[in-house]
Amino acid sequence: MEIIRDLVEIPKLSLALGFFDGIHIGHQAVISCAVEAARDFGCKSAVVSFKEHPYCYFKGESPKYILTLEEKYKILESLGVDYLIELDFGDICRMNPTQYLEDVLIKYFSPTAISTGFNHHFGVDKSGNVKFLSDYQGKYDYMYFATPPQSIYGDVISSTAIRQNIKSGLIFMANTMLGRKFTVSGTVVKGKEMGATIGYPTANIIYPVDIIEPPYGVYDVDVELGDGKIYRGLANFGFAPTVSDSGALVLETYILNFRGNLYGKEIKVSFNKMIRPEIKFASMDELKTQIDIDVQSL
């Protein structure tokens, strides 16, 4: 997949429009529609998006994301997207819908197809919508596809719902809506190795500041190491002065059936479910007893 950050002419593309934060099941339906249309029309597919969430422009601050940009790129590529076109949201949001369609999409990409979600809006004051894109498809000779809402257990899948589920510790619901496990990656840092003294050494990563946070507590996780193997793990998420004196949030993971030095290596921790909230212990013996119980629940 080629990433393009400047407007250049790439004619005859099948476009998927949206920010696609999280690339959940609903987003995957939109993107797959564009990829399939490209295959049918014998052309290339492209996602037209933005590097930063529109929230950054309107609120002047960054939201908490569901996944990193690097992970987003990998998932888009795995879905078969040929181009990711990252536009400047500040420029686009000041355009009216006709300007955006004619001066950007038509002028540079002469699309054979355009795919969006059922509630897609664009342009100044969000005045562009699915009806607008549908009405203009005859004039500009593209096929327009608006994918219907995707739902699970009666709840419409959205990035907002996924964030709320993660914040509430409802990991199963978040994972179901995502179509994969909520995952956090990081480089293993050296702590004070207190877990090792009670038989539970942990691989510790500083939690990314721009990723949505689950409640502080203990989680059933899967851990992917650099060797590609996946191990079961027990992770504690919260403030850990034994790891970081800077006040950073830390994910401490005991990896079952693994022995080795991971310092300085990248690991990927995927959340399965929340086991319990964070607990303060009076002694290391109490902590060990509770971890024994937690491990048995995996």
Side-chain angles (χ1 to χ4, degrees):
M1 182 182 74
E2 185 177 352
I3 301 174
I4 298 170
R5 296 190 173 93
D6 295 308
L7 279 173
V8 293
E9 290 190 22
I10 311 174
K12 302 299 180 183
L13 293 180
S14 174
L15 305 177
L17 310 182
F19 182 70
F20 302 121
D21 179 23
I23 316 184
H24 54 61
I25 286 178
H27 293 155
Q28 292 170 38
V30 175
I31 295 164
S32 295
C33 182
V35 171
E36 290 169 10
R39 189 178 303 119
D40 292 341
F41 292 128
C43 64
K44 299 288 188 179
S45 63
V47 165
V48 179
S49 189
F50 312 100
K51 186 172 183 179
E52 293 185 325
H53 198 287
Y55 189 92
C56 299
Y57 182 82
F58 291 119
K59 302 292 185 179
E61 59 186 54
S62 177
K64 294 287 186 176
Y65 293 102
I66 298 169
L67 76 174
T68 65
L69 270 178
E70 291 74 17
E71 291 167 331
K72 184 175 183 177
Y73 296 157
K74 290 178 183 177
I75 295 171
L76 287 174
E77 187 167 31
S78 74
L79 292 172
V81 174
D82 295 304
Y83 298 101
L84 170 60
I85 301 165
E86 288 185 335
L87 302 179
D88 185 327
F89 182 77
D91 293 337
I92 299 303
C93 71
R94 289 191 289 266
M95 293 182 174
N96 64 46
T98 303
Q99 287 175 314
Y100 179 55
L101 178 61
E102 294 180 347
D103 297 344
V104 177
L105 301 184
I106 302 301
K107 178 179 178 180
Y108 288 95
F109 311 125
S110 53
T112 58
I114 296 177
S115 303
T116 75
F118 69 99
N119 58 352
H120 184 71
H121 289 84
F122 59 96
V124 64
D125 297 327
K126 297 183 178 180
S127 50
N129 53 29
V130 297
K131 183 179 184 304
F132 179 90
L133 289 171
S134 179
D135 289 345
Y136 275 81
Q137 61 183 324
K139 179 178 179 180
Y140 290 111
D141 196 28
Y142 62 82
M143 292 287 292
Y144 176 61
F145 304 95
T147 61
Q150 309 290 308
S151 62
I152 186 73
Y153 305 125
D155 294 332
V156 174
I157 296 172
S158 69
S159 298
T160 299
I162 291 168
R163 282 193 187 88
Q164 188 55 53
N165 283 324
I166 293 171
K167 288 173 64 176
S168 301
L170 302 176
I171 305 300
F172 173 79
M173 281 297 293
N175 290 348
T176 303
M177 289 184 169
L178 282 169
R180 64 181 185 281
K181 294 177 182 179
F182 172 61
T183 299
V184 173
S185 300
T187 301
V188 177
V189 298
K190 193 174 181 65
K192 296 185 179 179
E193 301 182 343
M194 295 180 66
T197 66
I198 56 174
Y200 290 106
T202 58
N204 310 311
I205 62 174
I206 304 299
Y207 198 88
V209 295
D210 57 347
I211 298 298
I212 191 75
E213 298 157 7
Y216 301 159
V218 175
Y219 292 84
D220 175 337
V221 300
D222 292 330
V223 186
E224 184 176 339
L225 307 182
D227 57 7
K229 293 182 180 179
I230 297 177
Y231 297 81
R232 296 299 304 281
L234 184 75
N236 182 82
F237 173 61
F239 289 100
T242 59
V243 177
S244 171
D245 295 323
S246 65
L249 287 168
V250 176
L251 191 63
E252 304 172 277
T253 305
Y254 169 64
I255 306 172
L256 278 67
N257 303 315
F258 175 81
R259 292 294 180 270
N261 185 353
L262 294 173
Y263 294 136
K265 296 183 179 179
E266 184 91 0
I267 66 171
K268 183 183 296 184
V269 181
S270 299
F271 290 72
N272 295 317
K273 66 179 180 180
M274 186 175 187
I275 294 176
R276 61 171 174 82
E278 196 173 42
I279 300 173
K280 299 291 185 182
F281 296 97
S283 68
M284 293 299 287
D285 286 340
E286 284 187 14
L287 172 60
K288 183 182 184 307
T289 299
Q290 183 61 56
I291 295 176
D292 289 341
I293 295 170
D294 294 337
V295 169
Q296 291 301 315
S297 72
L298 297 179

